[in-house]
Amino acid sequence: MRLDLGNCSRLKSFPQLLEPMEKLEIIILNGTGIEEMSSSSIENLIVLETLSLNECKNLMCIPTTICKLKSLGELDLGGCSELKSIPEILEPMAKLKKLYLKGSGIEEMSSSIENLVVLEELNLSECKNLKSIPTTICKLKSLMSLNLDNCSKLKSFPEILEPMKELWYLPLNGSGIEEIPSSIENLVMLNNLNLRECKNLKSIPTSIFNMGSISEIEIDKYPQLQILPYNFLPVEDSSETSTSQLLVTHDQPYICSSCTSTAILNLHYDGVDFTCCQCFLFYTIHNILATQYFINNCIFVGKCMNGKEKDFRTSFCYSGGTITPWFGYQSMGSSLELNLPFRENCYDFLGFGLCIVVEFDPTILKDDDVLDLKCEYNLKTKKGVLTRLRYTS
């Protein structure tokens, strides 16, 4: 039996139930003016499977007797903005698989959450007041999805003290997370880690590369973001991170030459997509990002992000008197012949870059002189089409 009182906005309370309701399996109270559910009413819903209180803006509390509902499989408290906490779960709930708290006023989750022994889905996204998640979260051995998107006051992710073998979905996009604990490697089935728009993020442990199932990491670049050294090697001394040891072709992954791992990681970093081995470090990407491109013999090949065209024109100054070896086509003098991958309906060719070394007598410059270099170059196709470009630095 189903009772649907959805959108009865003037309904302020749920009636007292003086005897057990042996057939009522579903109660829908979405959008009502309910302020609380009485303890006696809850206890008598002995076969209730679904209780939905979504968008009950006046709901302030749920009684602890909620744990008496031994048949309850789904509890929806999403959008209950006045609900600051869920009650202590005083005994195991052997049927509750889905708990929705999206956009609620929840400030913290009780450690008694471990009594939700078969919980598979916990949605806390958009909980702007949520400040903490208990470490007992790791006791939820059936948990597959934990959504913490846009929990802006959530500053820390709990230590995962023991393996969670089912959790594969953990979006943290837009959360207030400052650092990820090294124990995240205990999320052994995690496939995707979304850390975009985490503007307070300061560090990520390299233990994430010990996670055998991780295949995709999404992260933005922020000035305070740091990556801990891999294998305890100092960042600046780690030989595994030399860009000269990377394969940098557009159709092959970025892999350290000494890496023996066959696992491939897709990394979305600072608006650029990388494919790399799992011992690849983010600070190495800073070096690669200095060029802003995927590099293949001086030709930049990749995909436009989100299907939109991007303007890759930029300039960089490298110290020294030689052209960096990243540029595969090199010559002395004033001309260079190369093959560009132009073809009909070519959408993955983003452009190419030029590196020029100019030698001049520095004694001709005075202390207050500003160096102004002008470079004019012509591009001529095999069919004789000529394009003239001018560059000033």
Side-chain angles (χ1 to χ4, degrees):
M1 190 168 68
R2 173 189 177 105
L3 175 63
D4 191 342
L5 298 170
N7 297 314
C8 295
S9 57
R10 294 187 179 183
L11 182 65
K12 302 298 181 183
S13 62
F14 191 79
Q16 293 278 345
L17 300 178
L18 301 179
E19 57 185 61
M21 302 287 289
E22 297 181 350
K23 294 185 177 181
L24 187 58
E25 297 176 339
I26 299 173
I27 296 179
I28 307 296
L29 295 168
N30 299 343
T32 64
I34 294 286
E35 296 178 355
E36 64 177 329
M37 296 285 291
S38 71
S39 179
S40 59
S41 294
I42 287 286
E43 286 182 330
N44 281 316
L45 299 171
I46 57 176
V47 295
L48 191 68
E49 297 177 0
T50 300
L51 176 58
S52 184
L53 290 151
N54 191 277
E55 295 296 326
C56 290
K57 303 293 187 181
N58 298 323
L59 184 68
M60 293 186 287
C61 66
I62 297 292
T64 55
T65 50
I66 192 78
C67 64
K68 300 290 185 181
L69 302 183
K70 299 305 181 183
S71 297
L72 189 66
E74 181 177 327
L75 177 59
D76 188 350
L77 298 168
C80 297
S81 53
E82 293 298 316
L83 185 66
K84 304 301 181 184
S85 63
I86 62 170
E88 292 284 331
I89 311 299
L90 301 177
E91 55 190 79
M93 298 183 70
K95 293 289 183 69
L96 188 64
K97 293 184 177 182
K98 298 179 180 180
L99 176 56
Y100 302 121
L101 292 161
K102 179 180 179 179
S104 69
I106 296 291
E107 296 179 351
E108 64 178 347
M109 296 294 292
S110 166
S111 61
S112 64
I113 193 176
E114 65 181 296
N115 279 323
L116 304 180
V117 292
V118 296
L119 192 67
E120 296 177 356
E121 185 176 350
L122 176 56
N123 191 335
L124 289 159
S125 63
E126 309 292 337
C127 289
K128 304 296 186 180
N129 297 321
L130 183 67
K131 297 178 181 177
S132 65
I133 301 289
T135 57
T136 52
I137 193 81
C138 66
K139 300 290 185 181
L140 303 183
K141 300 304 182 184
S142 298
L143 191 64
M144 294 187 287
S145 173
L146 174 59
N147 193 333
L148 296 170
D149 268 353
N150 296 308
C151 294
S152 54
K153 290 187 178 180
L154 185 65
K155 302 299 183 183
S156 62
F157 191 79
E159 291 284 343
I160 309 299
L161 302 177
E162 53 191 78
M164 297 180 72
K165 297 182 179 180
E166 299 293 333
L167 186 65
W168 64 270
Y169 185 65
L170 177 65
L172 292 164
N173 181 56
S175 69
I177 296 289
E178 295 182 352
E179 76 177 273
I180 302 294
S182 59
S183 60
I184 195 173
E185 64 182 304
N186 278 323
L187 302 181
V188 295
M189 292 301 295
L190 191 65
N191 178 265
N192 174 283
L193 182 59
N194 188 339
L195 293 163
R196 284 180 169 170
E197 296 298 321
C198 292
K199 297 183 179 181
N200 297 323
L201 189 64
K202 296 178 181 177
S203 67
I204 299 176
T206 54
S207 62
I208 60 173
F209 299 118
N210 297 329
M211 300 162 65
S213 296
I214 195 79
S215 63
E216 191 167 59
I217 296 177
E218 302 177 52
I219 191 170
D220 293 319
K221 177 184 175 184
Y222 293 108
Q224 67 270 38
L225 179 60
Q226 299 177 0
I227 307 299
L228 300 180
Y230 183 72
N231 285 345
F232 305 104
L233 293 172
V235 168
E236 62 274 11
D237 295 333
S238 176
S239 60
E240 287 192 327
T241 61
S242 170
T243 52
S244 64
Q245 292 183 299
L246 299 175
L247 301 176
V248 287
T249 60
H250 72 282
D251 57 349
Q252 296 185 36
Y254 290 81
I255 300 179
C256 303
S257 62
S258 58
C259 180
T260 58
S261 172
T262 58
I264 296 300
L265 181 69
N266 295 314
L267 179 62
H268 308 282
Y269 181 72
D270 194 28
V272 180
D273 288 356
F274 293 88
T275 301
C276 54
C277 61
Q278 290 196 3
C279 70
F280 193 81
L281 297 184
F282 297 150
Y283 62 82
T284 302
I285 293 176
H286 282 285
N287 296 332
I288 295 176
L289 283 180
T291 66
Q292 300 290 309
Y293 308 106
F294 294 92
I295 301 173
N296 179 22
N297 289 334
C298 191
I299 300 173
F300 308 145
V301 183
K303 294 181 179 179
C304 293
M305 300 297 293
N306 301 321
K308 299 178 181 178
E309 293 184 1
K310 297 183 72 175
D311 186 356
F312 282 117
R313 290 176 295 174
T314 187
S315 62
F316 300 90
C317 181
Y318 296 93
S319 60
T322 60
I323 294 176
T324 171
W326 290 346
F327 290 86
Y329 296 93
Q330 301 190 19
S331 72
M332 298 288 289
S334 60
S335 66
L336 174 66
E337 183 175 329
L338 69 160
N339 293 318
L340 298 177
F342 286 130
R343 63 183 184 276
E344 187 176 358
N345 298 322
C346 177
Y347 298 109
D348 59 352
F349 176 68
L350 301 183
F352 62 93
L354 298 176
C355 180
I356 300 172
V357 175
V358 179
E359 184 177 8
F360 59 91
D361 185 356
T363 60
I364 64 175
L365 296 177
K366 298 180 181 179
D367 291 340
D368 56 350
D369 279 348
V370 176
L371 182 61
D372 187 12
L373 293 179
K374 294 182 178 180
C375 176
E376 182 176 295
Y377 51 95
N378 303 319
L379 303 180
K380 188 175 182 179
T381 68
K382 291 181 179 180
K383 295 182 179 181
V385 179
L386 184 66
T387 300
R388 179 166 296 174
L389 300 170
R390 184 172 296 169
Y391 174 72
T392 301
S393 174

